[in-house]
């Protein structure tokens, strides 16, 4: 088990991480999400042992990890960390890059490399020099390289950011299925909330260097506790219950995604249409009410400046 215990850290006197604590078990996938600059990458670097901390401790299976001040070469042997710059050697082949993380004494080394390239859908590039690959291809090779030793803990920083969408979903399915089968703990810092919703067992939400939520991913999406967390998953409407229905009790604040609002024949919330955005199987409609933007989904484009009533889909 990984235990991050009350970590605080700053590159200067200003702390970029504050009192961070959580646990994670082997075989789990934890997504770390939050706006740029919230401390996601810094957290991974601390866990791996690239940054020294004065406040707090990281444990693995109850053993304290000492950090870079105690090792000639920073980083833990049982962990692998993939930064955003890939850490590949450009003038040697894909095979040679991945092979650096596999013992030369392993009689199945080439077969192992080919297996890893199948996981990242790069089988045709075994003998290609890295300098001749695209950014997305380099990122896939880098992923194969960090899982070559089958680490107990894998830390990934924006691992799919350079990969085109039509390959991204297939790669995610293949990679996370592989990691589950190998019982590898994976922690991913990401801006892409699909990583969290579709694959993560739990999601950590960072805001200004603090954990504001650590929750099962589906529960976080269905029951967001604040607008910041909800907005990480896309457009969100913050409405009072009294704006939608007549109420007698306390006026509850609702956080509603566009698919949770629909056009009604009548109601309390009347909006004026400002724009329709085609999304494939639906339109995202931007409207205005009382000076505030309201977003909802509809199956067809709506006329600008027309008015409609909205109701809540429960």
């Amino acid at each position: 088990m990984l235990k991050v215990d009350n970590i605080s850290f700053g590159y200067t006197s200003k702390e970029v991480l504050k009192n961070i604590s959580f646990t994670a078990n082997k075989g789990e996938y934890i997504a770390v999400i939050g706006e740029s600059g919230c401390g996601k990458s810094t957290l991974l670097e601390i866990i791996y042992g690239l940054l020294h901390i004065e406040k707090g401790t990281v444990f693995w299976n109850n053993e304290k990890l000492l950090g870079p001040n105690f090792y000639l070469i920073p980083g833990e042997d049982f962990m692998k960390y993939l930064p955003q710059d890939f850490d590949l050697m450009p003038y040697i082949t894909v095979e040679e890059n991945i092979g650096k993380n596999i013992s030369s004494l392993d009689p199945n080394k080439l077969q192992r490399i080919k297996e890893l390239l199948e996981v990242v859908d790069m089988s045709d590039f075994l003998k290609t020099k890295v300098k001749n690959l695209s950014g997305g291809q380099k990122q896939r090779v880098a992923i194969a390289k960090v899982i070559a030793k089958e680490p107990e803990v894998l830390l990934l920083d924006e691992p799919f950011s350079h990969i085109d969408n039509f390959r991204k979903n297939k790669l995610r399915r293949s990679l996370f299925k592989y990691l589950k089968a190998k019982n590898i703990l994976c922690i991913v810092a990401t801006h892409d909330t699909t990583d969290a919703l579709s694959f993560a067992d739990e999601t950590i939400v960072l805001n200004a260097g603090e954990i504001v939520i650590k929750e099962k991913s589906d529960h976080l999406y269905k029951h967001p506790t604040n607008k910041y967390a909800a907005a990480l998953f896309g457009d969100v409407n913050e409405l009072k219950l009294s704006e939608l229905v007549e109420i007698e009790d306390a006026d509850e604040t609702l956080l509603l995604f566009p698919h949770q609002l629909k056009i009604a024949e009548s109601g309390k919330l009347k909006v004026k249409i400002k724009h329709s955005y085609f999304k494939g199987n639906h339109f995202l409609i931007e409207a205005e009410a009382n000076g505030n933007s309201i977003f909802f989904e509809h199956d067809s484009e709506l006329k600008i400046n027309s008015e409609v009533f909205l109701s809540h889909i429960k």
Side-chain angles (χ1 to χ4, degrees):
M1 182 180 75
L2 179 73
K3 181 179 180 182
V4 176
D5 187 21
N6 204 33
I7 281 176
S8 296
F9 176 82
Y11 296 97
T12 63
S13 58
K14 181 180 179 181
E15 291 182 337
V16 296
L17 290 175
K18 306 167 188 175
N19 305 316
I20 301 293
S21 295
F22 68 91
T23 59
N25 297 307
K26 288 198 70 173
E28 289 185 335
Y29 169 29
I30 308 296
V32 182
I33 64 175
E35 63 184 356
S36 296
C38 68
K40 300 188 296 294
S41 298
T42 301
L43 176 59
L44 296 192
E45 291 176 358
I46 288 172
I47 293 172
Y48 185 56
L50 296 180
L51 297 174
H52 177 70
I53 51 174
E54 299 286 350
K55 300 178 182 177
T57 313
V58 179
F59 295 93
W60 176 247
N61 295 335
N62 296 318
E63 180 179 345
K64 181 179 178 180
L65 306 184
L66 297 178
N69 284 17
F70 296 86
Y71 296 113
L72 181 62
I73 301 175
E76 298 290 343
D77 288 340
F78 64 89
M79 290 190 192
K80 281 296 177 183
Y81 167 58
L82 178 61
Q84 295 185 45
D85 62 6
F86 308 156
D87 191 27
L88 296 174
M89 300 184 70
Y91 296 103
I92 61 175
T93 66
V94 167
E95 177 185 3
E96 291 167 320
N97 266 278
I98 297 173
K100 285 185 173 295
N101 279 4
I102 302 175
S103 172
S104 59
L105 300 178
D106 187 340
N108 299 314
K109 181 173 182 176
L110 180 57
Q111 185 58 39
R112 179 88 178 107
I113 293 170
K114 290 179 177 179
E115 176 191 359
L116 293 166
L117 288 177
E118 286 180 9
V119 172
V120 298
D121 197 19
M122 286 287 289
S123 296
D124 294 337
F125 297 88
L126 182 72
K127 299 296 184 180
T128 304
K129 289 187 177 181
V130 165
K131 70 183 182 69
N132 296 324
L133 300 177
S134 69
Q137 290 169 336
K138 290 175 183 175
Q139 192 160 39
R140 284 185 279 155
V141 172
I143 291 170
K145 183 179 177 181
V146 295
I147 62 176
K149 275 190 176 180
E150 294 187 5
E152 295 183 82
V153 181
L154 180 63
L155 308 172
L156 303 176
D157 194 353
E158 299 290 352
F160 312 113
S161 57
H162 293 263
I163 299 170
D164 39 75
N165 285 329
F166 82 95
R167 289 190 183 277
K168 187 181 295 186
N169 290 331
K170 179 182 178 182
L171 174 59
R172 280 190 285 221
R173 288 191 294 268
S174 178
L175 175 62
F176 293 125
K177 180 181 178 180
Y178 177 88
L179 297 177
K180 282 289 186 183
K182 298 295 185 179
N183 202 33
I184 296 171
L185 167 60
C186 182
I187 302 177
V188 179
T190 181
H191 283 94
D192 189 341
T193 50
T194 301
D195 295 338
L197 288 179
S198 298
F199 302 101
D201 299 297
E202 287 192 310
T203 295
I204 292 173
V205 179
L206 286 181
N207 186 14
E210 298 183 81
I211 293 180
V212 293
I213 301 171
K214 182 178 183 285
E215 183 62 84
K216 290 188 179 299
S217 302
D218 58 344
H219 189 273
L220 171 60
Y221 180 78
K222 293 174 183 176
H223 307 285
T225 55
N226 58 65
K227 189 174 183 180
Y228 172 83
L232 294 173
F233 295 98
D235 296 302
V236 63
N237 304 294
E238 186 174 31
L239 296 168
K240 291 290 187 180
L241 181 59
S242 60
E243 295 180 80
L244 295 166
V245 297
E246 297 291 344
I247 63 169
E248 295 181 359
D249 300 324
D251 197 0
E252 181 184 357
T253 297
L254 302 177
L255 296 172
L256 302 175
F257 294 108
H259 70 270
Q260 295 176 293
L261 291 172
K262 67 176 182 178
I263 291 178
E265 292 185 1
S266 61
K268 290 197 67 180
L269 182 59
K270 180 189 281 188
V271 300
K272 180 180 288 189
I273 306 303
K274 292 299 182 183
H275 206 285
S276 298
Y277 302 94
F278 182 58
K279 293 293 185 179
N281 62 349
H282 69 275
F283 283 82
L284 176 66
I285 311 298
E286 181 180 4
E288 184 270 334
N290 302 318
N292 297 317
S293 292
I294 304 290
F295 294 92
F296 65 98
E297 292 182 2
H298 194 58
D299 57 7
S300 61
E301 187 174 4
L302 298 178
K303 185 179 179 180
I304 293 176
N305 291 327
S306 62
E307 293 185 329
V308 297
F309 292 102
L310 296 180
S311 64
H312 175 207
I313 301 174
K314 296 182 180 179

